[in-house]
């Protein structure tokens, strides 16, 4: 069992930056690939980025490539999402998720989810 808690969301102007964190409980954090997803009002949850167990491999959605950076610190059981050059269309609830397989972009393939953190980008 893995429990995930996101933090770091908030209100930011377009062009600004935010850093999201996702803290995981348990001693098996390093055995999970991690992902960030987001869901805007009235839209389906969409893949943002994923990172492998050791952090050496990542995969990004085209919409955030070059602007967002995922990283993880297995010693701290935490995964981060650094978001820069934010756009109003990045406004959503952001969720972190843990899964057994790296590289998957479908929400249904992840086993554990956090409660989400709101990111609002004003124009």
């Amino acid at each position: 069992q893995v429990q995930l808690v996101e933090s770091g969301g908030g209100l930011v102007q377009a062009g600004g930056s935010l850093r999201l964190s996702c803290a995981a409980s348990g001693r098996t954090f390093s055995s999970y690939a991690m992902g960030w997803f987001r869901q805007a009002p009235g839209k389906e949850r969409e893949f943002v980025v994923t990172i492998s167990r050791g952090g050496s491999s990542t995969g990004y959605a085209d919409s955030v490539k070059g602007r967002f950076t995922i990283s993880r610190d297995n010693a701290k059981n935490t995964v981060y999402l650094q978001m820069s050059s934010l756009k109003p269309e990045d406004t959503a609830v952001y969720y972190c998720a843990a899964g057994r397989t790296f590289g998957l972009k479908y929400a249904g393939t992840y086993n554990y989810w956090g409660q989400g953190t709101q990111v609002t980008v004003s124009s």
Side-chain angles (χ1 to χ4, degrees):
Q1 187 80 9
V2 177
Q3 292 184 324
L4 304 172
V5 179
E6 302 96 335
S7 61
L11 174 64
V12 63
Q13 288 187 334
S17 299
L18 278 177
R19 187 196 198 200
L20 306 184
S21 299
C22 173
S25 65
R27 290 177 285 183
T28 60
F29 176 71
S30 61
S31 66
Y32 288 91
M34 299 298 295
W36 285 95
F37 288 74
R38 65 187 181 185
Q39 188 166 17
K43 296 187 176 181
E44 293 186 353
R45 192 168 298 190
E46 67 171 354
F47 167 78
V48 176
V49 60
T50 184
I51 188 167
S52 61
R53 295 176 183 84
S56 60
S57 298
T58 58
Y60 293 85
D62 288 342
S63 58
V64 305
K65 202 171 293 184
R67 300 188 299 122
F68 290 11
T69 302
I70 190 171
S71 61
R72 67 188 296 166
D73 185 338
N74 285 343
K76 296 182 178 179
N77 282 10
T78 302
V79 62
Y80 305 97
L81 181 63
Q82 178 66 48
M83 306 185 294
S84 302
S85 302
L86 283 162
K87 305 174 181 180
E89 51 264 44
D90 293 319
T91 295
V93 177
Y94 283 71
Y95 300 88
C96 71
R100 288 295 188 182
T101 304
F102 167 69
L104 299 178
K105 301 180 179 181
Y106 301 101
T109 59
Y110 286 77
N111 304 99
Y112 302 102
W113 292 83
Q115 82 290 347
T117 186
Q118 176 71 46
V119 172
T120 303
V121 184
S122 63
S123 57

